[in-house]
Amino acid sequence: MSQELWTAVDEYICERLLAPDSALDAAAAASEAAGLPPIAVTANQGKLLELLVRIHGAQRVLELGTLGGYSTIWLARGLPAGARLVTLELDPGYAAVASENIARAGLSGVIDLRVGPALETLAAMHADGEEPFDLIFIDADKQNYPGYLEWSLKLSRPGTVLIGDNVVRAGGIIDPANDDAVVQGVRGFYELLADEPRVDATAVQTVGGKGHDGFALGIFNRRD
Ligand code: SAH
Ligand code: DHB
Ligand code: MG
């Protein structure tokens, strides 16, 4: 098994199953041209996000970590008319690229992009009485995943779907010698999930164009 093979299989899947989408292609190209790090979800992962939004019938989606808005546009593609997506990004330069990509995709009226440290934005949203979200995609800085999970629960209702990206990190999570802050954050996320009776969750390893990683999927069961 090799990266080359995983990438080639991703290409096989994308060529067959994903319809051409000029707005998504333009968003990827503009993000690359602006020098954003190449860490957006792959196209087939993006399609999974769209499908999860549709399968759940989500009307209110929250994303943590916008980057250039690539996953944001995929999530928004799954929404019905009149639905809303809030996405949080720390870096104003990345947010400016995302904003243009979102406008080009014709989604400016659907997507509310808020710039700042997500923990602060989440606290402000909660204090302002933000309505609960139907689906939350956690994909910002991994160090803060435990905090993001806690705020996500406060912004959830029974039935809210939680998705956490990058929860395997090439197996780094099980290496006791790995004390990287990213890995520590992801481990903290698992520990919190394990101790949290209000959430039923699993995680699935993935290989593909972005290497060996994985995503967590959960459902918020009850408010108590
Ligand atoms: N969801 C994107 C990728 C996000 S990469 C996609 O798949 O297309 C992670 C993003 O989180 C980066 O853009 C980074 O700037 C942002 N980020 C890092 N720390 C953050 C923080 N404290 N608050 C909000 N966003 C943060
Ligand atoms: C990386 C990948 C991601 O999907 C992400 O959200 C952040 C970082 C990475 O590979 O470094
Ligand atoms: Mg990610």
Side-chain angles (χ1 to χ4, degrees):
M1 294 291 274
S2 69
Q3 182 59 58
E4 220 172 286
L5 177 62
W6 302 339
T7 301
V9 173
D10 260 4
E11 283 166 8
Y12 179 98
I13 293 167
C14 292
E15 276 166 20
R16 279 155 189 80
L17 301 184
L18 304 192
D21 187 315
S22 58
L24 282 163
D25 291 348
S31 300
E32 190 184 349
L36 269 54
I39 55 175
V41 292
T42 57
N44 46 335
Q45 288 168 347
K47 183 70 191 187
L48 176 64
L49 294 174
E50 179 199 326
L51 290 170
L52 288 169
V53 169
R54 285 172 56 193
I55 288 164
H56 189 46
Q59 303 256 10
R60 286 176 49 78
V61 171
L62 173 64
E63 175 182 61
L64 312 185
T66 316
L67 192 65
Y70 185 74
S71 56
T72 320
I73 295 171
W74 274 113
L75 287 162
R77 288 262 185 267
L79 291 171
R84 179 157 171 262
L85 189 159
V86 179
T87 184
L88 312 188
E89 173 56 47
L90 174 67
D91 187 298
Y94 295 176
V97 174
S99 205
E100 281 183 25
N101 288 337
I102 288 164
R104 203 185 293 108
L107 290 166
S108 300
V110 175
I111 295 168
D112 177 1
L113 168 56
R114 302 191 191 177
V115 182
L119 287 175
E120 287 177 24
T121 312
L122 288 162
M125 285 165 66
H126 188 250
D128 290 348
E130 181 80 39
E131 293 290 310
F133 290 92
D134 303 319
L135 182 144
I136 302 177
F137 178 49
I138 302 176
D139 195 23
D141 52 317
K142 318 307 164 197
Q143 295 88 320
N144 283 318
Y145 267 31
Y148 294 149
L149 180 57
E150 281 174 352
W151 280 113
S152 294
L153 296 184
K154 291 195 211 307
L155 292 165
S156 289
R157 51 142 179 107
T160 296
V161 167
L162 303 169
I163 307 162
D165 196 22
N166 310 116
V167 298
V168 173
R169 309 308 295 156
I173 53 165
I174 62 158
D175 174 7
N178 192 331
D179 59 359
D180 182 66
V182 166
V183 165
Q184 303 276 26
V186 174
R187 283 190 192 131
F189 181 75
Y190 278 99
E191 275 155 34
L192 217 54
L193 277 177
D195 291 345
E196 179 49 75
R198 294 171 300 174
V199 180
D200 264 345
T202 187
V204 173
Q205 302 183 69
T206 54
V207 292
K210 284 185 67 186
H212 173 211
D213 211 326
F215 65 91
L217 181 66
I219 185 163
F220 184 73
N221 287 316
R222 62 178 201 275
R223 213 190 273 285
D224 59 14

